[in-house]
Amino acid sequence: QAQETDNYKIVSVDLQEMAAIDGVSILQGDITTEETMRAIYQVFHGEKADLVVSDGAPDVTGFHEIDQYLQAQLLQAALTITTKLLREGGTFCAKFFKMSDLSYLHVMMKQVFRDVYVVKPESSRAMSAEAFVIGIGFKSDANLNQLSESITVL
C-alpha cells in the first residue's frame, strides 16, 4: 500500500527483502518483469513522478560481455519504467558500470531527456567502474521502445 507524506510518494524496489522505512512503499521484485512494473505503476495511481532513481546492479558473472549485457538490460528496464512514470521535465538518475562504449546509452538518453550527464562521484574509488547517468528535462512524447528497436536493427 502506498504511503503518502506531505504530498510525495517514495517507492523502493529490490530483489531482496527490505526493512520497512517510514513513509516508503516497499516492493520486492525484479524491475525487468511486467509484474513488478505494474506494481510500481499501481502505487502511483496514475500520478507522475518528479524523480526516478535507480541504483540497481546485476550480479556479476565475471564474464565481461555477459555482465555488460545484464547491466544494459537493467538500465533499459529502469528507463522503460521511467518513460511511463516520469512527468514532463522530470529527472532520472541511474547507477551503472562504465563500459568501453557509452554511445548506445548516450543516444538512448538524449532521445528522452533534454540534458544528459555521465558523472563519477569523487567518493567513488578511482579503480571502480561505477558511474551515474543523469537525465534532466524528460520529454514525455519520446518513444524509447521505438528507439531501442531501431538501434537493435543497426
Side-chain angles (χ1 to χ4, degrees):
Q1 192 70 0
Q3 297 180 10
E4 295 185 44
T5 308
D6 297 328
N7 245 358
Y8 64 84
K9 293 180 185 175
I10 300 173
V11 179
S12 181
V13 182
D14 200 303
L15 286 172
Q16 306 301 318
E17 188 174 342
M18 296 174 279
I21 302 171
D22 235 7
V24 177
S25 296
I26 304 287
L27 299 175
Q28 185 174 356
D30 179 348
I31 67 164
T32 64
T33 67
E34 279 293 321
E35 179 183 353
T36 300
M37 287 184 189
R38 279 194 301 274
I40 295 167
Y41 303 144
Q42 286 174 355
V43 170
F44 281 86
H45 303 289
E47 295 177 38
K48 296 291 185 175
D50 294 317
L51 171 68
V52 174
V53 177
S54 171
D55 77 340
D59 291 332
V60 178
T61 66
F63 295 100
H64 185 68
E65 291 80 13
I66 293 172
D67 292 340
Q68 279 188 339
Y69 174 78
L70 294 172
Q71 176 67 49
Q73 292 303 304
L74 194 56
L75 194 53
Q76 178 76 36
L79 273 172
T80 298
I81 291 168
T82 298
T83 60
K84 295 177 181 170
L85 194 60
L86 201 58
R87 71 163 172 77
E88 178 76 25
T91 301
F92 171 72
C93 177
K95 177 174 72 176
F96 74 103
F97 296 96
K98 281 188 171 181
M99 301 167 260
S100 55
D101 182 14
L102 294 174
S103 59
Y104 172 74
L105 173 62
H106 195 265
V107 167
M108 266 198 333
M109 294 287 292
K110 282 302 281 182
Q111 294 302 308
V112 293
F113 293 98
R114 181 188 69 239
D115 299 308
V116 176
Y117 304 95
V118 174
V119 295
K120 181 174 178 65
E122 289 180 21
S123 61
S124 183
R125 293 181 321 231
M127 297 301 292
S128 172
E130 178 182 80
F132 292 84
V133 62
I134 301 167
I136 299 172
F138 176 63
K139 305 172 193 174
S140 61
D141 60 348
N143 185 340
L144 188 62
N145 290 334
Q146 188 177 50
L147 172 67
S148 62
E149 288 169 10
S150 68
I151 290 175
T152 302
V153 171
L154 295 177

